[in-house]
Amino acid sequence: MSQKSKSVAILGGGVIGASWASLFTATGYPVRVFDPAEGAEAQIRAYAERAQPALVALGLPSADTPASMTFHASAAEAVEGTFFVQESVPERIEIKHALFAEIEPVLDADAVVASSASGLMVSEMQKGWRNPGRLVLGHPFNPPHLIPLVELLANERTDDDVLERAEAFYAECGKVTIRLHREVPGHAANRLQAALWREAISLVVEGVASVEDVDKAIWAGPGLRWAAMGPHMLFHLGAGDLGLGEFCSRYEPSFNRWWESMKDVELNADTIAALRAGIEAEQGARAMTDLMAERDALIVGMQTANAKHRNRSG
């Protein structure tokens, strides 16, 4: 689907939109950006400059000499002549509906519009279109220029070839896509991390472990395995040659006991206070910028190793 003579549009240039813009220019696409916030252009260009070394390390084809990035006064102007639109405006349905109503009349006939929405559903967003056939979910994980996952979702109102075209474009940009077969709140990956975080919070508020030690239990333990393979495949390997069926038979009583002992939690004032105190102790004197740089360096290192291994084994 490489169409690098054509442009990609970014609608909304916050943390997610700026990250998308950095990725798309590093892949070689001219990017047309719309964000009405004061100072948005300077902030997005600064983000892209900070992101460039990581994108070079990841081997993006134009990361050394990124394609152009231009800024436009309206969403309609930004999408003119583009073949792919990544929408990342605030998650308020009235804002998205107004945006879609503005751009629909000026979109190229074959343009694809992908929404980064994490909390809204495709069926809700389609109500802002006269013909929603070109809209799909293209939900990333933050930051999109480093984390490869994109969750894709279409439905019966989506045109036949749109999902495949979006999937091909993301693949060219180095993304790993999954297809959701029906919509649920939070899609798939957010629900998985929400379930883990619920138990992580429970361990803190029940006094089992500190915030720092719960975090350490993940990054020094199962998080390393999850960066290599998903839970089903890892447990499939957990019983040797006998596979997942044997694993389930062996550990059925244990898992059922663990699940039964897990408690529901909610984010309230007391819970938030406990988490804030714990994270402040874990952060210590380290600046947020230093923590972000450390996160990004670790992700780049893991992604580089992952890509080399999968290319050899594939």
Side-chain angles (χ1 to χ4, degrees):
M1 188 181 171
S2 181
Q3 302 184 60
K4 291 180 182 175
S5 61
K6 294 187 176 182
S7 299
V8 174
I10 297 289
L11 304 181
V15 172
I16 300 298
S19 183
W20 277 126
S22 303
L23 175 68
F24 295 154
T25 57
T27 308
Y29 285 100
V31 171
R32 298 167 63 88
V33 183
F34 167 70
D35 190 302
E38 185 176 353
E41 179 175 351
Q43 293 174 9
I44 294 166
R45 290 193 185 280
Y47 188 106
E49 184 176 349
R50 292 193 302 271
Q52 186 178 9
L55 292 166
V56 170
L58 290 173
L60 271 293
S62 299
D64 287 312
T65 55
S68 66
M69 190 185 302
T70 57
F71 290 77
H72 301 269
S74 69
E77 180 182 308
V79 303
E80 288 181 5
T82 63
F83 78 99
F84 195 91
V85 178
Q86 187 73 43
E87 174 273 306
S88 304
V89 302
E91 295 222 6
R92 289 170 49 192
I93 195 66
E94 68 274 12
I95 293 177
K96 292 190 185 286
H97 284 176
L99 180 80
F100 298 147
E102 178 184 348
I103 67 172
E104 186 173 6
V106 298
L107 283 171
D108 280 10
D110 61 348
V112 174
V113 179
S115 177
S116 300
S118 59
L120 297 174
M121 297 187 185
V122 169
S123 60
E124 296 172 321
M125 294 187 288
Q126 286 174 328
K127 295 175 182 177
W129 293 77
R130 293 193 302 274
N131 177 5
R134 289 176 287 174
L135 175 70
V136 294
L137 179 75
H139 175 246
F141 243 50
N142 189 30
H145 70 282
L146 296 183
I147 304 294
L149 179 67
V150 181
E151 297 176 296
L152 294 173
L153 176 67
N155 63 19
E156 70 282 353
R157 301 187 69 191
T158 310
D159 290 345
D160 289 341
D161 65 337
V162 169
L163 193 65
E164 288 74 16
R165 290 166 58 206
E167 196 168 43
F169 170 71
Y170 285 131
E172 185 182 8
C173 297
K175 309 304 284 179
V176 174
T177 59
I178 65 170
R179 293 191 183 192
L180 306 178
H181 301 302
R182 66 181 183 90
E183 58 183 20
V184 292
H187 319 315
N190 271 335
R191 291 175 71 90
L192 291 168
Q193 72 170 0
L196 174 63
W197 196 34
R198 180 172 64 180
E199 182 57 23
I201 293 171
S202 178
L203 291 171
V204 172
V205 299
E206 293 294 318
V208 176
S210 68
V211 167
E212 181 173 5
D213 280 350
V214 169
D215 281 356
K216 193 183 298 183
I218 296 301
W219 68 256
L224 283 174
R225 299 195 306 189
W226 294 333
M229 296 179 180
H232 298 113
M233 181 59 73
L234 288 166
F235 288 154
H236 180 58
L237 299 176
D241 294 340
L242 298 176
L244 185 60
E246 175 62 22
F247 181 91
C248 292
S249 296
R250 289 182 189 177
Y251 298 106
E252 175 185 350
S254 295
F255 274 94
N256 285 333
R257 183 181 183 186
W258 299 339
W259 288 329
E260 289 169 4
S261 71
M262 291 178 182
K263 298 181 179 180
D264 290 334
V265 297
E266 63 178 24
L267 287 175
N268 54 38
D270 291 339
T271 303
I272 293 169
L275 295 177
R276 287 186 62 182
I279 203 65
E280 287 168 3
E282 183 177 353
Q283 179 176 350
R286 293 176 294 173
M288 289 290 285
T289 52
D290 292 337
L291 286 171
M292 291 177 185
E294 179 182 352
R295 175 202 65 187
D296 292 355
L298 288 165
I299 291 172
V300 169
M302 289 185 283
Q303 284 292 95
T304 302
N306 195 326
K308 287 180 180 178
H309 179 79
R310 291 186 189 278
N311 286 340
R312 286 200 305 270
S313 61

